[in-house]
Amino acid sequence: MFAAPLPMHIPDGFLSVAVSIVFWVISVIVIGISLARVNRDLGERQVPVMGVLAAAIFAGQMLNFSVTGGTSGHLLGAALATILLGPWAAVLVMTCVVAIQALIFQDGGLLVLGANLFNMAILGPFVAYPVYKLIQRISGGKPWGVFVGGGVAAWASILVASLSCAFQIALSGTSPANVAIPAMAGIHALIGLGEALITVGALSLVYAARRDLLQTGSAQPVRNNTAVWVGGSLLTLALVILSPLASSNPDGLEWVAEQAGFLETARDPSYNIIPDYVLPGISNEATATILAGVVGAFIVLAAALALAYARRKRSA
Amino acid sequence: MSCVVEVEHLSFSYPDGHSALNDVTFSLGHGQKVALVGPNGAGKSTLLLHLNGIHPRQSGSIRVSELDVEGKNLPRVRALVGLVFQSPDDQLFSPTVFDDVAFGPIYQGLSAAEVHTRVEEALEMVHMEAYIRRVSHHLSVGEKKRIAIATVLSMKPDVLILDEPTAGLDPRARRSLIELLRELPQSMIVATHDLPMVRELLPRTLVMDGGLLVADGPTAELLSDPALLHDHGLEM
Amino acid sequence: MHANFLDPFQSRPSLVHSLDARVKVVLVVAFILTSALTPTGAWPIYVMLIAVIFSAEIVSELGLAFYMKRALLAIPFVLAALPVLFTIPGPSLLSLPFGLQLTQPGLERFISVALKSWISIQAAVLLASTTPFPDILVALRALRLPRLLVAIIGLMWRYLFVMVDETLRLLRARSARSATAANPALRPGGKLTWRARVAGGMAGSLFLRSLERSDRIYNAMLARGYDGEIHSLPVPAVPPSAWAALTFGLLLLAFIIAIGRLIY
Ligand SMILES: Nc1ncnc2c1ncn2[C@@H]1O[C@H](COP(=O)(O)OP(=O)(O)OP(=O)(O)O)[C@@H](O)[C@H]1O
Ligand SMILES: [Mg+2]
């Protein structure tokens, strides 16, 4: 029940070490920038505001509505947070949510947390922001801009995040690009509709009760968010253009990666080497496995003994 | 005589093993208004949540208007039992008062015209017709309480269940809520710590303590028994 | 309603529980890294990793069954790795309909991924269920996470239970009014978009109330002299026994990595 509903929290084991580290670096940099921006915009109010809203988004992810036959729609909340708080604060709020989910509830892995943060806490707001602002601008400040903009932003944030998730998995060699990308995109194009509907519902409540929060220039400072505009648009375009390329043929991603010269570094060197087993003194793999099993059994036995000993000492 | 609510030998333990109800038996006739009193943690809210099946029954039986509160009957039972939660904020989750009061009827699949009539009738019963277009978020606690009652009246329940309706109200709001409850024709069970209201409004009283139903009788009698009041932490 | 069941921490007087949280965080991450670095098909290494994590689980006194149940969480995601069964070229083990060939390297790759995630998630469960959250926060601070982020996460944890309670109450109030009509011919449930809008309304009101609550919290903080600076007591030094555990653990993991790299 508390597992987040989206098949988007990558567990440990699914990404190669290289991919994990690259995304850790990117995420740390963006979160660092967000911390500085929010510090400037909100000042000392930021701790209570960010903390409480992160708790609210975490809890809000439990809200659902039934779709059909036992399936239900859920909220991820990145777009909603972006619209109400601005992109930088949304990055921080989502960072706390995704980090706590991994650290405390094992929803998503720890080594791959950088990648999960990138997809859900960074890409989500970075995609939602330009989409929402663009549609709102087109609407000329009419109310439909808020709702259409919010809905499309919510849908896009889910879809693009899932594309990025599929890319990470494919780059790690855990799933072929021509399967992972269309599958993730297909599922999340639908899940994104649920996100869009709930987001519009939430926006209409906010619109009725606290319209001031939706008027630019009040709750969220709108100073110079060019970085989000440019970064978000570029990332969205890149993922949307690369996806069909990468999934068009069985080697699509390899092609993309080769062009980028990324493949060799992305995959663990050991990945392509089918084990050619040589252990000095032991002639075949079966024996080695048995040996490892024996060693393992001894370790577990030792642990059990240590435990028994510790207990005796305590009760003595 | 047929009863609106019949509870027999109901026991319940929370998942952590805490036993919150212990062999509770009582029944409620049509049009009867009873008080449910007892100290904090007595099990009042737990009992109320059983009456429309939010807590699944563990042992014993519960019947509402001749329906077993169980399994496939639950969707129907939830229309017959109007459960008003202690905090109106939990109950009001839509943008406007209209949307909130219309939730039950829309969910039931009623036609648009009928939904409108139901909403208007319900708001009229709580004297809040003028609030139909208001935003729930901005109402005062007393107003929210009335709207919360309207959100269940719009389902035309047989019995109203109210959990601490006067908690947090100022004297004037409390007074007008009491008058409202007096006017409403439905049977009702009111869990409360407000004994003056019980004396004034509810002719029959159930006393709970530690998960047990320890007394059931005419309010005037029970409330003038100092030993009983003292034993169960009640004060006039 | 009490959302306390959310907190995965389970108090026991075990050695794992009493290990310094900083050391535990580092060891758990190092362990997951080790499993990530383990080559595909290096079965003996996986056996050793399983032995190590099982040992820690036994010593934690929570029972292996507890860990096995929690570790099931990662299962649904394994679906994502299924296609490699058929797409990595190599000797075919089994021919399936639609021209799919189950290959040996595909199978090895798949089992390795599944094992890695199963092993790693157990380590994460171990950390969360043997370490009280405040200790994890101190560990994060000691590991140089920005103070601001630690403060935000700390406040989030404090209000998480309040918000989850609030959400559960909202959901409960909704189901209390989700009823069928007296006329059985009417289909209950309303339109899909309407149901979504109701859920959205709940999300919106949760959000607004939190925003207003955060104002009150801020005022309460100001009233007690908060000036935007996060002050905290200095983190106590790591005791020698914890250093020893850290060194031993890291050496063990380095040894396992080394074997994996040398042999495969
Ligand atoms: N979700 C829960 N899990 C475990 N125990 C619970 C839970 N909810 C309530 N309890 C316990 O069950 C007992 C009865 O609680 P209940 O809320 O029914 O009391 P109450 O009579 O309504 O009290 P109050 O006057 O404070 O509202 C209490 O001891 C309470 O601690
Ligand atoms: Mg109660």
Side-chain angles (χ1 to χ4, degrees):
Chain A
M1 169 170 192
F2 300 99
L6 298 177
M8 214 197 278
H9 292 71
I10 309 173
D12 279 316
F14 283 77
L15 296 188
S16 69
V17 176
V19 170
S20 309
I21 290 176
V22 166
F23 281 98
W24 260 118
V25 172
I26 300 176
S27 296
V28 165
I29 293 172
V30 179
I31 292 166
I33 299 173
S34 308
L35 276 170
R37 289 294 305 245
V38 173
N39 199 352
R40 211 174 70 197
D41 295 343
L42 279 179
E44 58 252 43
R45 283 192 57 214
Q46 62 179 322
V47 172
V49 174
M50 300 289 103
V52 174
L53 289 180
I57 295 274
F58 180 98
Q61 293 189 350
M62 294 164 61
L63 293 171
N64 62 344
F65 64 96
S66 66
V67 177
T68 51
T71 58
S72 51
H74 285 269
L75 180 73
L76 177 72
L80 185 61
T82 308
I83 294 166
L84 294 170
L85 301 169
W88 300 107
V91 167
L92 284 194
V93 165
M94 293 304 293
T95 294
C96 294
V97 172
V98 174
I100 288 289
Q101 282 170 339
L103 204 53
I104 306 300
F105 303 102
Q106 293 84 48
D107 218 348
L110 293 178
L111 192 62
V112 300
L113 179 57
N116 280 328
L117 284 172
F118 178 80
N119 300 343
M120 288 177 278
I122 294 173
L123 212 47
F126 269 57
V127 170
Y129 186 75
V131 171
Y132 175 71
K133 283 288 162 191
L134 192 68
I135 295 180
Q136 218 198 14
R137 230 170 250 188
I138 294 172
S139 78
K142 296 210 182 61
W144 67 260
V146 171
F147 300 114
V148 175
V152 178
W155 181 80
S157 69
I158 296 283
L159 184 74
V160 177
S162 80
L163 287 180
S164 159
C165 174
F167 265 93
Q168 290 158 350
I169 294 173
L171 277 175
S172 304
T174 309
S175 196
N178 61 331
V179 181
I181 294 173
M184 285 295 263
I187 296 172
H188 286 88
L190 285 178
I191 291 181
L193 289 181
E195 175 87 4
L197 287 171
I198 297 202
T199 304
V200 172
L203 288 174
S204 52
L205 189 132
V206 175
Y207 189 83
R210 288 285 307 273
R211 197 163 308 178
D212 55 309
L213 293 179
L214 290 168
Q215 262 134 26
T216 38
S218 53
Q220 42 162 305
V222 279
R223 275 172 280 156
N224 189 10
N225 281 329
T226 333
V228 185
W229 269 100
V230 176
S233 316
L234 283 183
L235 279 168
T236 311
L237 284 180
L239 281 166
V240 169
I241 293 170
L242 285 184
S243 301
L245 277 183
S247 49
S248 57
N249 64 67
D251 299 321
L253 187 65
E254 278 73 26
W255 180 82
V256 171
E258 255 162 44
Q259 303 299 309
F262 188 56
L263 194 63
E264 287 316 305
T265 39
R267 290 202 178 155
D268 291 337
S270 53
Y271 164 57
N272 287 317
I273 306 159
I274 293 160
D276 211 3
Y277 201 78
V278 235
L279 184 65
I282 299 166
S283 54
N284 64 56
E285 187 168 351
T287 333
T289 310
I290 293 169
L291 193 67
V294 174
V295 173
F298 270 112
I299 300 183
V300 178
L301 191 66
L305 286 176
L307 175 68
Y309 174 73
R311 290 190 81 109
R312 214 179 40 229
K313 215 170 68 181
R314 228 187 356 261
S315 57
Chain B
M1 180 193 85
S2 80
C3 295
V4 207
V5 176
E6 293 173 272
V7 174
E8 277 172 16
H9 306 298
L10 182 68
S11 299
F12 179 80
S13 305
Y14 277 103
D16 63 1
H18 180 91
S19 156
L21 293 179
N22 206 332
D23 198 20
V24 172
T25 299
F26 72 93
S27 61
L28 181 74
H30 283 285
Q32 254 190 355
K33 298 186 177 182
V34 307
L36 181 60
V37 301
N40 287 138
K44 303 182 296 291
S45 300
T46 309
L47 176 60
L48 298 188
L49 288 172
H50 272 87
L51 297 180
N52 78 349
I54 297 254
H55 282 326
R57 187 184 51 115
Q58 288 171 349
S59 69
S61 76
I62 314 166
R63 293 165 67 76
V64 168
S65 299
E66 310 287 300
L67 287 172
D68 264 320
V69 178
E70 210 182 19
K72 63 176 182 9
N73 288 337
L74 281 185
R76 188 63 208 130
V77 165
R78 288 186 175 162
L80 299 177
V81 178
L83 182 55
V84 182
F85 292 82
Q86 179 177 342
S87 161
D89 277 328
D90 298 334
Q91 208 143 352
L92 307 181
F93 42 68
S94 308
T96 66
V97 167
F98 174 86
D99 294 322
D100 270 321
V101 181
F103 177 91
I106 295 181
Y107 191 94
Q108 293 184 12
L110 303 183
S111 70
E114 196 162 354
V115 170
H116 275 95
T117 356
R118 290 276 191 107
V119 172
E120 279 155 19
E121 282 170 6
L123 286 175
E124 212 168 295
M125 280 192 252
V126 298
H127 309 297
M128 299 290 281
E129 307 92 311
Y131 284 67
I132 190 162
R133 297 276 152 233
R134 290 282 293 274
V135 175
S136 312
H137 189 77
H138 295 309
L139 303 179
S140 76
V141 184
E143 291 163 340
K144 281 183 186 169
K145 284 254 153 111
R146 287 171 170 267
I147 302 298
I149 293 173
T151 64
V152 304
L153 288 178
S154 64
M155 300 193 300
K156 295 198 188 284
D158 284 353
V159 54
L160 275 180
I161 310 272
L162 299 110
D163 201 353
E164 314 205 6
T166 55
L169 296 186
D170 70 17
R172 188 170 349 134
R174 172 177 171 277
R175 172 57 38 208
S176 77
L177 190 83
I178 292 177
E179 295 313 322
L180 169 64
L181 296 183
R182 199 196 305 281
E183 285 168 24
L184 290 176
Q186 281 87 355
S187 326
M188 55 179 79
I189 303 181
V190 183
T192 184
H193 299 291
D194 182 351
L195 294 190
M197 171 187 71
V198 172
R199 161 126 64 195
E200 194 181 325
L201 182 70
L202 305 156
R204 177 180 159 204
T205 297
L206 309 174
V207 183
M208 283 192 80
D209 199 352
L212 291 166
L213 193 60
V214 291
D216 176 357
T219 299
E221 220 168 83
L222 295 184
L223 292 193
S224 50
D225 178 347
L228 179 82
L229 294 184
H230 177 266
D231 284 352
H232 303 293
L234 302 169
E235 256 175 43
M236 270 309 282
Chain C
M1 302 217 99
H2 306 295
N4 298 347
F5 60 85
L6 262 182
D7 189 350
F9 174 67
Q10 313 251 343
S11 181
R12 294 284 186 290
S14 87
L15 292 174
V16 179
H17 285 74
S18 56
L19 182 59
D20 192 282
R22 289 162 283 183
V23 172
K24 239 188 286 185
V25 170
V26 172
L27 283 181
V28 162
V29 173
F31 179 82
I32 295 175
L33 181 65
T34 308
S35 108
L37 285 172
T38 304
T40 295
W43 311 128
I45 309 295
Y46 289 104
V47 175
M48 283 188 218
L49 289 173
I50 292 174
V52 169
I53 192 67
F54 273 23
S55 308
E57 289 170 6
I58 292 174
V59 176
S60 78
E61 300 186 18
L62 292 175
L64 286 182
F66 167 79
Y67 288 98
M68 296 304 106
K69 223 164 49 205
R70 295 292 303 273
L72 291 181
L73 258 179
I75 292 254
F77 212 90
V78 169
L79 275 182
L82 269 183
V84 293
L85 283 175
F86 312 106
T87 55
I88 297 187
S92 166
L93 294 179
L94 194 68
S95 290
L96 295 175
F98 309 111
L100 290 177
Q101 301 282 333
L102 179 68
T103 67
Q104 191 202 339
L107 187 64
E108 287 187 347
R109 177 87 184 132
F110 178 76
I111 295 180
S112 301
V113 167
L115 277 178
K116 280 179 191 198
S117 70
W118 185 62
I119 293 170
S120 307
I121 200 169
Q122 289 182 54
V125 173
L126 183 84
L127 175 66
S129 44
T130 64
T131 321
F133 188 77
D135 292 3
I136 293 185
L137 269 191
V138 172
L140 294 181
R141 198 147 59 84
L143 297 172
R144 299 282 174 276
L145 204 72
R147 274 161 177 255
L148 203 58
L149 210 53
V150 176
I152 294 174
I153 292 181
L155 203 86
M156 170 188 179
W157 182 254
R158 162 68 185 79
Y159 285 97
L160 196 62
F161 299 95
V162 179
M163 294 297 162
V164 170
D165 273 349
E166 200 159 321
T167 310
L168 291 177
R169 284 199 306 267
L170 281 170
L171 289 172
R172 176 146 111 183
R174 181 180 65 178
S175 57
R177 278 189 281 155
S178 299
T180 48
N183 174 1
L186 295 178
R187 224 179 103 245
K191 282 212 286 290
L192 177 67
T193 48
W194 173 75
R195 289 200 297 273
R197 222 184 59 217
V198 170
M202 292 171 157
S205 52
L206 205 61
F207 199 95
L208 286 188
R209 282 187 233 158
S210 328
L211 206 62
E212 285 159 11
R213 186 192 294 268
S214 76
D215 277 337
R216 297 196 295 272
I217 295 171
Y218 175 58
N219 290 333
M221 287 166 84
L222 286 182
R224 281 180 282 166
Y226 176 72
D227 59 358
E229 269 305 302
I230 296 120
H231 304 277
S232 34
L233 296 174
V235 183
V238 178
S241 61
W243 276 118
L246 181 66
T247 317
F248 172 74
L250 289 181
L251 281 179
L252 180 67
L253 293 175
F255 175 70
I256 293 179
I257 295 179
I259 303 189
R261 291 280 135 172
L262 281 181
I263 296 178
Y264 292 91

